[in-house]
Amino acid sequence: MSAIDEGKPLRVALLGCGVVGTSVARLLTLGRDDFTARIGRPLEIVGIAVRRLGRDRSETGVAEELFTTDAEELVTRADIVVEVIGGIEPARSLILRAFEHGASVVTANKALLAEDGPTLYAAAEKHGVDLYYEASVAGAIPLLRPLRESLAGDDVTRILGIVNGTTNYVLDKMDSTGQGFDEAVQQAQALGYAEADPTADVEGFDAAAKAAILASLAFHSRVTAADVHREGISEVTAADVRAAADMDCVVKLLAICERVPGADGLPGISVRVHPAMIPRTHPLAGVREAFNAVFVEARAAGSLMFYGPGAGGDPTASAVLGDIVAVARHRVGGGVGPRESAYADLQVLPMGQALTRYYISLQVHDRPGVLAQVATAFAAHEVSIQQVRQQVSQRQDEQSQGGAELVIVTHTASDEALAATVNEISAMDIVRGVTSVMRVEGE
Ligand code: HSE
């Protein structure tokens, strides 16, 4: 490398100038001298691709003439392309084009990584450049680099993550105020935590994409969003949250990735997103408001917890900027970051084979033999009961009719056995109604 090359700025192209893009541009501009010192060469923003020109973007500190609507052209004249547009297209085509022109790519695009990560990895490898995407999961929290690099010598056995801030905010409010789901969502929207259309968050799509990325890295296997069993929180009721509180638990939307032996005896992985009760003593239970946290269990390391802000302009930009520095250092010093590691090729098991526990509360007739009949249904499906409690029904209408409430917590069993048990008891004459069914995790 010549002396002139050594001082030559590395050209950075930014695709997208929304909340995250604006923070990235502003922080890059503000920290120019420190970035030069950390990398060994200056970074120069050579363009920012936006959908429409003419808006006031002075907050970025970037000259107006550097904004362009021609993203296709922009990616051909950069050393580092930063994609913060989101979605599948045009992001994928632009990233592939950037690789073809020799640029390394930093992206925050969870949907794209979760749908088509291997295509991106293959293209980066073919062109000898980097693909980094720390910001795609859990915002500012350093998590993918630890999984990809720091834990590369260990065997991750399980990940339990709160990776969606919106749903954590909603469930936290339901827990602390007794509010129902709709009311808590409205409050989250009023405060800017939830989108006007909250579907992607509350129905677990966002968390499922993140779970796919985490499972791929943790288990050296290809997992896409379509492989992830997904249940959102829109069915979680105030009664579920109260029931959890009675058990000294909280309800959280969890992204769960774990090694599980398959029914065929071969090793597999379960990757799923669903609400679950976790004990208040579990480190994830203390994660309040819109924060994210990911609990990782690894054979040698034991339990690790990663915690912090999972969204927002500056926090997400922090992860993007860390990636920019990493890929820029490779440009200066040579080498590339880790390639795709999918050698283990573990099968993703159907939800029915996931091993979990259930909490079930039922309104039943309070007369001889009822408990025995319910217990028989559990035994028939080989589900072992860990705890059972009968109490006078909390509900006025049930009380007046001599009703009782049965609360049952199971030991670990396959999800299909547990679901079949619930189906059977729901249909029994002696059962007036099933008040709450929820998985129990984190023990
Ligand atoms: N919508 C996400 C959340 C942030 O609520 O956490 C971006 O991934």
Side-chain angles (χ1 to χ4, degrees), residues 29 104 107 113 130 135 175 220 237 254 295 323 381 386 439:
T29 310
S104 289
T107 174
L113 260 306
D130 271 327
D175 180 55
H220 304 271
T237 62
L254 296 180
F295 194 74
D323 282 354
H381 294 282
Q386 187 207 31
R439 297 185 184 90

Side-chain angles (χ1 to χ4, degrees), residues 110 135-136 138-139 163-167 193 195 201 206 210 290 292 310-312:
K110 63 201 157 223
S136 64
V163 293
N164 183 269
T166 305
T167 46
Y193 287 116
E195 309 262 350
D201 293 314
D206 175 81
K210 293 167 178 170
N292 282 196

Side-chain angles (χ1 to χ4, degrees), residues 205-247:
F205 291 99
D206 175 81
K210 293 167 178 170
I213 295 171
L214 292 175
S216 301
L217 293 176
F219 303 126
H220 304 271
S221 299
R222 286 183 175 169
V223 181
T224 69
D227 297 320
V228 181
H229 173 87
R230 177 190 53 78
E231 293 170 34
I233 63 163
S234 56
E235 309 277 303
V236 176
T237 62
D240 293 328
V241 174
R242 264 198 313 275
D246 286 345
M247 299 265 304

Side-chain angles (χ1 to χ4, degrees), residues 318-338:
S318 165
V320 171
L321 292 164
D323 282 354
I324 293 174
V325 171
V327 305
R329 283 175 173 162
H330 292 152
R331 293 257 150 184
V332 173
V336 281

Side-chain angles (χ1 to χ4, degrees), residues 263-288:
D264 55 8
L266 295 172
I269 47 179
S270 170
V271 191
R272 56 193 201 266
V273 168
H274 56 69
M277 289 184 185
I278 55 170
R280 278 196 199 268
T281 50
H282 192 282
L284 287 176
V287 178
R288 306 286 309 271

